[in-house]
Amino acid sequence: MIWHATTALAGTALRLAAPFSGADWRERLALTGPDVVPGGIWLHAASVGELNSARVLAEALGAELPLTVTTNSLTGRALARKLGHVAVLAPLDVPQAVERFLARIEPSVLVTVENELWPNRSAMARDLGVAQVVVGARISERSAQRWARLPQLIGPMLRRIDLLSAQDEGSEARLLRLGLPALSLGTRLNLKLLGPAQVRPPEDGPGRARVVLAASTHEGEDEIVLDAYAQARRAVPDLRLILAPRHPRRGDAVAALIAARGLDFARRSQGGGWMRRCCWPTAWARWRTGIGRRGSASPAARWSITAAIRRGNPPPGAAPSCTAPMSRTTPATMPTWRPPGGRWP
């Protein structure tokens, strides 16, 4: 196979260069690494985002069997270790590194988060009888079209998967089209919902019905949310808003947008009041905005249950409902608002 032969040559060259490489690079060649308990589960999450979404899953797996977590990034490895898991940088997809890594951890199951598939890893795990599971799989139409040009790579990898749970119907259809056996398809699963699903909503009260959560906003959307909020406050003066941009680096820019509208606010990243504690606002807290790190699972889950009205990113050209209740009784509503011209960007 071209991929195997080419990467084998690369593996030989990399091994010769290893003595002159850094410790992290040698770890990716499976020449070094922490002690592991063999025979357990190998959980692979590409980086921080995937690992954050798989937190609940990793905790559950680690409670049952020895768990080794791999990531492609130093930040991902650091997070996995902070969460209490044995963590190591994932082996490069060269046969020599994959062979050394598999020989060291001897996994019974390889669990891959989302869509990180590699030909040598897939083939060599199957040769050793390692079951392969993919959770929360997703693939866009563009990626599917690219993979369709490489059927000799993607087809065998998908056929080796014992169980795959996709995030959505579209990903399911694309993966089946690329060669995933229908019998390997499991129940759809969005890993990011596992954490919030474990948080029990509080009892409804007059305050909760007046908290709006606008989560994972992108540039150009914050202004829409803020203007809608300002208009809604004319009808509901004690309405509060939690605004959580998707990218933390935009925090200062979003804070400037809020300040320009003359609104009082606090930032979670700077120890801002009730957003930091995620409890009910005090009487003076007419407005609070939590600008925290994306993927911070616990605050996000608490924000979701604090707000009775939630709004995520609308699809392009769509005018989403302003009501997404997390309520035990009557859903809270927000006055209808559309941007000038009546269309969302």
Side-chain angles (χ1 to χ4, degrees), residues 119-207:
N120 287 325
R121 183 186 301 179
S122 168
M124 297 174 75
R126 172 50 59 92
D127 290 344
L128 293 175
V130 179
Q132 299 183 50
V133 177
V134 181
V135 292
R138 59 185 177 88
I139 183 170
S140 66
E141 184 60 38
R142 175 180 290 186
S143 295
Q145 291 174 2
R146 290 173 178 170
W147 274 116
R149 301 189 191 106
L150 301 168
Q152 292 156 342
L153 276 182
I154 189 64
M157 285 193 293
L158 292 176
R159 288 192 290 272
R160 296 184 193 112
I161 293 174
D162 297 283
L163 177 66
L164 180 145
S165 74
Q167 288 190 19
D168 54 77
E169 184 179 2
S171 292
E172 281 183 357
R174 296 177 196 114
L175 290 166
L176 289 170
R177 191 169 69 236
L178 290 170
L180 178 72
L183 291 176
S184 298
L185 193 61
T187 304
R188 290 175 202 155
L189 174 65
N190 189 329
L191 291 169
K192 294 179 181 179
L193 299 180
L194 292 181
Q198 292 189 328
V199 181
R200 183 176 175 82
E203 295 296 330
D204 280 330

Side-chain angles (χ1 to χ4, degrees), residues 34-249:
D35 294 333
V36 301
V37 179
I41 297 174
W42 174 7
L43 175 68
H44 177 72
S47 191
V48 171
E50 291 81 2
L51 185 57
N52 265 321
S53 67
R55 280 190 184 194
V56 175
L57 176 65
E59 182 178 352
L61 293 175
E64 298 292 331
L65 289 168
L67 179 70
T68 300
V69 176
T70 62
T71 75
N72 297 337
S73 69
L74 299 179
T75 52
R77 182 184 64 180
L79 175 60
R81 289 176 177 175
K82 183 179 178 180
L83 295 174
H85 304 301
V86 175
V88 59
L89 293 176
L92 296 174
D93 199 52
V94 298
Q96 300 91 327
V98 176
E99 181 179 17
R100 285 190 290 266
F101 189 79
L102 288 170
R104 174 146 54 101
I105 72 170
E106 299 178 1
S108 56
V109 182
L110 165 57
V111 179
T112 300
V113 178
E114 293 193 2
N115 53 1
E116 182 88 0
L117 301 177
W118 290 97
N120 287 325
R121 183 186 301 179
S122 168
M124 297 174 75
R126 172 50 59 92
D127 290 344
L128 293 175
V130 179
Q132 299 183 50
V133 177
V134 181
V135 292
R138 59 185 177 88
I139 183 170
S140 66
E141 184 60 38
R142 175 180 290 186
S143 295
Q145 291 174 2
R146 290 173 178 170
W147 274 116
R149 301 189 191 106
L150 301 168
Q152 292 156 342
L153 276 182
I154 189 64
M157 285 193 293
L158 292 176
R159 288 192 290 272
R160 296 184 193 112
I161 293 174
D162 297 283
L163 177 66
L164 180 145
S165 74
Q167 288 190 19
D168 54 77
E169 184 179 2
S171 292
E172 281 183 357
R174 296 177 196 114
L175 290 166
L176 289 170
R177 191 169 69 236
L178 290 170
L180 178 72
L183 291 176
S184 298
L185 193 61
T187 304
R188 290 175 202 155
L189 174 65
N190 189 329
L191 291 169
K192 294 179 181 179
L193 299 180
L194 292 181
Q198 292 189 328
V199 181
R200 183 176 175 82
E203 295 296 330
D204 280 330
R208 183 167 178 262
R210 288 169 171 76
V211 179
V212 180
L213 170 62
S216 194
T217 59
H218 291 267
E219 186 174 358
E221 296 176 340
D222 306 288
E223 296 92 327
I224 296 172
V225 171
L226 291 169
D227 290 341
Y229 169 75
Q231 180 173 331
R233 277 188 64 186
R234 298 187 190 118
V236 187
D238 59 346
L239 190 67
R240 294 173 292 272
L241 175 68
I242 303 169
L243 182 57
R246 181 174 180 85
H247 300 112
R249 64 178 180 272

